[in-house]
Amino acid sequence: MLRTIVFAILVLFFFERCAQQVPPTGGKRDSIPPNLVESNPLNKTLNFKGKKIELFFDEYVVVDNINQKLVITPEADNPYSYKQNGMSVALTFKNQFKDSTTYTLNFGDAIKDFAEKNPAKNLKIVFSTGTSLDSGRVYGTLKDIRTNKPIFDALVGLYNVSDTLNIAKQKPYYFSRTDSSGVFSIENIQTRQYKLIAIDDKNRNMLYNAKDERMGFLGKTITAGTDSASYALNMYLSDNTALKVQRTLPKVNNYAVVFSKPIENVEVTFVNKDSLPYLLEPGGTNLKFFNVEPHADTTLVKLKTLDSLGITTEFEQKIAFQAQRGKTRQLDPLTLTTIPEANKPLTNEFTYKLILNKPVKTLDDQKIAIISDSLTNEPLNAFKYTWNTNRNILTIAAKSFAKDSVKFDIPKGSIISVEGDTLAKTLLKHPVLNEEDFGVIRGRVTNADTAVHFILELVDEQYKVVETVYASPYTFKNIPQGKYFLRITVDKNRNRRWDTGQIDKDLQPEPVYYLPDKILLKANFELNDINITIPEEK
């Protein structure tokens, strides 16, 4: 009997296990986005006087960051709350919309289906609080002027024309955002004149932050609805904020003046016949003075700076180092970098730069040697070399007959900084360039007025400049195998650098053009007749 009962329990346990439900696996993924089946008000409604907008879909939906993604044009300054209820979404606004105005609500990807989060496509509602819909449209493309690449999710705005327009404080009246191809379209606009301006708007406050946001603008005003052309805008950084001394960093050994933005150059004048070594550090924001010469407790200097917009600013600055504690100073180490970088190949005739992080007090050009193939050892004084103004960059023009390698032997004590420290023994080695491992690109600048000055650059796929020339025909020699772009800048002020635009002066940046096709260069190949045209200015 007991055996029968045990057997019955086991059978029941087996069938219970078999009857347990298991979620199904696999199946086709839902890739269909939700469709709008009805709205209140209906799309393109006239004489709308309400404060509530409702959207009804064919499936359950969720709302995703609608406060950031919903674009209402013109900018309404009308706070709203939203409520999600299964297959519908309702927006309730605090105030009524402005009378006799056409509004567009573009939801982007703010509303998605519940299951797979597929966003509703092209979800947009247009209505008018007046008797007609505005029909004006402005469209075009946006790209970065330096890379020629389209810019995604930038704000393109139409601003009311005004002599006091300040995009750092004023929001656009109509606006749109660019898609992944840099295309923008602003629709249902009142037919009147506007200023067309694009900004990065990284923090999505619809205001321009010149310190870290790119911008671009059309020089002329446009009339929406009558101008049918597509507009091409270029974006660029243009920090037009006033240069200031942001802070100072006093230490025992040095004193740094930190500027609010990078500067290109600085002239230093010592007022009270004092003198201190100094240098502008890489990046252009830190001007560092070194505490090494006998000087007064406080040194007064006059600074004349030049920024990237060509604007000069003058300051008076007091330099006061921290008092020393203890018998010895703790110095920042002396460091060295080179151009070309270590292990990069050199031609037999080359220019070489030693870059130090402190000004140099003494250099023994008899101890420093250039060694060719470990056989020929020549002292630095056998070659021509020059210092920069601050004596921290040494430029060497040299020639060797090496077949395998060139070395720079820098013994300890051969370079002594203004603080009295030196480098450890340093050996820099570079292979000799084998021309068969590299290629050549030749061509000319066509259709260029002989009076036009230009900057022709070969840049790699990361837009890093490989080589620069300023004349036509051109030759780029000893170029590593790879893919490149050819970029030409019209150098209007002949300063051999690209100059950005300034909206407050209605000044456009210097034009930049690219060869349409990417250049593919192979080792031991020559590419000839790679010509680039400077288009005529309209």
Side-chain angles (χ1 to χ4, degrees):
M1 181 69 180
L2 180 61
R3 292 176 60 185
T4 304
I5 293 172
V6 171
F7 178 77
I9 291 172
L10 290 173
V11 169
L12 288 172
F13 178 75
F14 173 78
F15 280 105
E16 183 183 1
R17 291 290 302 272
C18 291
Q20 286 181 348
Q21 293 186 353
V22 178
T25 59
K28 190 174 182 181
R29 182 180 180 273
D30 176 17
S31 61
I32 301 174
N35 290 312
L36 182 69
V37 293
E38 187 180 351
S39 68
N40 183 18
L42 294 174
N43 193 34
K44 300 185 178 180
T45 290
L46 303 179
N47 297 310
F48 178 68
K49 304 301 180 185
K51 296 182 182 180
K52 187 174 182 180
I53 295 171
E54 294 181 280
L55 307 176
F56 301 90
F57 297 90
D58 61 353
E59 61 179 310
Y60 285 94
V61 294
V62 293
V63 174
D64 177 26
N65 200 13
I66 193 169
N67 291 321
Q68 290 288 331
K69 295 180 177 181
L70 172 59
V71 175
I72 303 175
T73 55
E75 207 274 321
D77 194 20
N78 190 357
Y80 64 88
S81 60
Y82 71 90
K83 186 176 181 180
Q84 173 192 326
N85 186 15
M87 299 167 69
S88 68
V89 176
L91 279 66
T92 302
F93 289 82
K94 182 178 180 180
N95 307 310
Q96 281 195 328
F97 292 91
K98 185 179 177 181
D99 193 28
S100 301
T101 304
T102 299
Y103 287 92
T104 300
L105 278 66
N106 193 325
F107 290 83
D109 62 352
I111 297 178
K112 304 177 180 180
D113 67 31
F114 180 82
E116 297 290 344
K117 304 301 184 289
N118 299 305
K121 293 183 177 180
N122 303 316
L123 183 56
K124 182 172 70 173
I125 299 293
V126 179
F127 62 85
S128 175
T129 56
T131 57
S132 63
L133 289 171
D134 294 325
S135 58
R137 179 185 177 222
V138 172
Y139 63 99
T141 56
L142 189 63
K143 67 179 182 180
D144 184 282
I145 193 170
R146 299 294 289 162
T147 65
N148 209 37
K149 294 176 67 175
I151 299 174
F152 170 64
D153 199 37
L155 180 106
V156 184
L158 294 175
Y159 294 76
N160 291 323
V161 178
S162 168
D163 292 336
T164 59
L165 174 61
N166 183 351
I167 60 175
K169 297 180 179 180
Q170 293 170 243
K171 296 180 180 180
Y173 192 72
Y174 292 101
F175 64 94
S176 175
R177 293 190 180 271
T178 54
D179 65 15
S180 59
S181 299
V183 174
F184 66 89
S185 180
I186 311 173
E187 300 174 345
N188 299 108
I189 305 166
Q190 290 181 14
T191 302
R192 55 187 173 87
Q193 287 192 322
Y194 301 95
K195 191 77 173 177
L196 179 61
I197 303 172
I199 62 175
D200 268 328
D201 194 30
K202 293 178 181 178
N203 56 8
R204 304 184 83 85
N205 67 352
M206 299 175 65
L207 297 174
Y208 174 50
N209 179 7
K211 291 194 70 65
D212 63 359
E213 291 184 350
R214 291 168 296 180
M215 63 86 59
F217 68 99
L218 201 66
K220 63 178 182 178
T221 59
I222 63 172
T223 304
T226 59
D227 297 344
S228 59
S230 174
Y231 299 101
L233 290 179
N234 293 317
M235 291 188 78
Y236 44 85
L237 283 171
S238 177
D239 187 354
N240 61 357
T241 57
L243 182 69
K244 298 177 182 178
V245 174
Q246 188 164 291
R247 64 182 182 276
T248 58
L249 301 174
K251 296 181 180 179
V252 174
N253 302 320
N254 54 65
Y255 185 101
V257 178
V258 182
F259 297 106
S260 59
K261 62 179 181 179
I263 61 173
E264 300 279 323
N265 186 39
V266 60
E267 296 177 14
V268 178
T269 304
F270 293 90
V271 176
N272 50 6
K273 297 184 180 180
D274 209 343
S275 181
L276 292 169
Y278 65 89
L279 60 81
L280 184 63
E281 294 189 313
T285 57
N286 286 24
L287 177 64
K288 184 176 283 187
F289 294 85
F290 293 85
N291 184 12
V292 295
E293 302 289 344
H295 57 82
D297 291 339
T298 300
T299 301
L300 182 63
V301 297
K302 289 185 176 181
L303 308 177
K304 186 177 181 180
T305 62
L306 178 72
D307 68 15
S308 61
L309 300 181
I311 299 172
T312 58
T313 310
E314 296 185 7
F315 304 93
E316 277 197 357
Q317 183 66 44
K318 292 179 179 179
I319 309 299
F321 301 96
Q322 284 185 345
Q324 182 175 334
R325 296 179 181 179
K327 295 182 180 180
T328 59
R329 293 186 190 178
Q330 195 69 29
L331 299 179
D332 296 329
L334 182 64
T335 60
L336 171 70
T337 57
T338 66
I339 299 178
E341 299 171 1
N343 300 315
K344 294 289 184 181
L346 291 176
T347 57
N348 286 117
E349 193 167 344
F350 59 88
T351 300
Y352 198 79
K353 288 187 178 183
L354 302 176
I355 305 169
L356 297 112
N357 66 328
K358 302 178 188 179
V360 171
K361 185 176 182 179
T362 62
L363 175 127
D364 192 333
D365 58 8
Q366 292 183 319
K367 289 184 177 178
I368 297 175
I370 298 177
I371 304 170
S372 300
D373 291 341
S374 301
L375 300 173
T376 306
N377 187 320
E378 296 182 89
L380 177 62
N381 61 8
F383 303 93
K384 182 180 178 181
Y385 66 84
T386 56
W387 284 105
N388 69 332
T389 303
N390 302 118
R391 284 184 66 86
N392 74 305
I393 301 178
L394 184 71
T395 303
I396 305 166
K399 189 174 183 179
S400 80
F401 296 96
K403 294 183 179 180
D404 296 321
S405 66
V406 175
K407 302 185 187 75
F408 289 80
D409 184 13
I410 306 175
K412 184 177 181 179
S414 59
I415 297 178
I416 299 176
S417 83
V418 292
E419 293 187 320
D421 55 343
T422 185
L423 293 169
K425 177 177 172 59
T426 303
L427 186 67
L428 303 166
K429 184 177 180 180
H430 297 266
V432 173
L433 184 143
N434 181 358
E435 292 188 359
E436 292 184 356
D437 296 332
F438 297 84
V440 178
I441 302 173
R442 292 190 179 93
R444 61 180 62 247
V445 179
T446 60
N447 292 357
D449 190 319
T450 54
V452 173
H453 286 245
F454 58 83
I455 306 163
L456 185 62
E457 296 169 307
L458 188 70
V459 298
D460 63 18
E461 291 186 289
Q462 285 71 47
Y463 302 96
K464 181 181 178 181
V465 177
V466 177
E467 197 168 332
T468 305
V469 297
Y470 305 93
S472 176
Y474 72 86
T475 300
F476 294 129
K477 294 180 65 176
N478 302 320
I479 306 300
Q481 177 174 297
K483 296 176 182 178
Y484 299 93
F485 298 103
L486 200 58
R487 179 173 70 195
I488 191 164
T489 300
V490 179
D491 187 16
K492 290 187 174 183
N493 59 4
R494 304 184 183 185
N495 64 353
R496 291 200 167 189
R497 72 171 193 183
W498 174 77
D499 290 293
T500 188
Q502 298 179 61
I503 190 171
D504 53 335
K505 295 182 179 180
D506 199 26
L507 179 66
Q508 292 290 337
E510 290 182 324
V512 178
Y513 305 103
Y514 273 78
L515 189 72
D517 300 320
K518 190 181 292 187
I519 299 170
L520 176 60
L521 181 66
K522 295 182 179 181
N524 202 27
F525 265 72
E526 290 189 11
L527 298 178
N528 296 304
D529 296 323
I530 307 299
N531 303 327
I532 187 169
T533 300
I534 299 178
E536 294 183 8
E537 286 195 51
K538 297 180 181 179

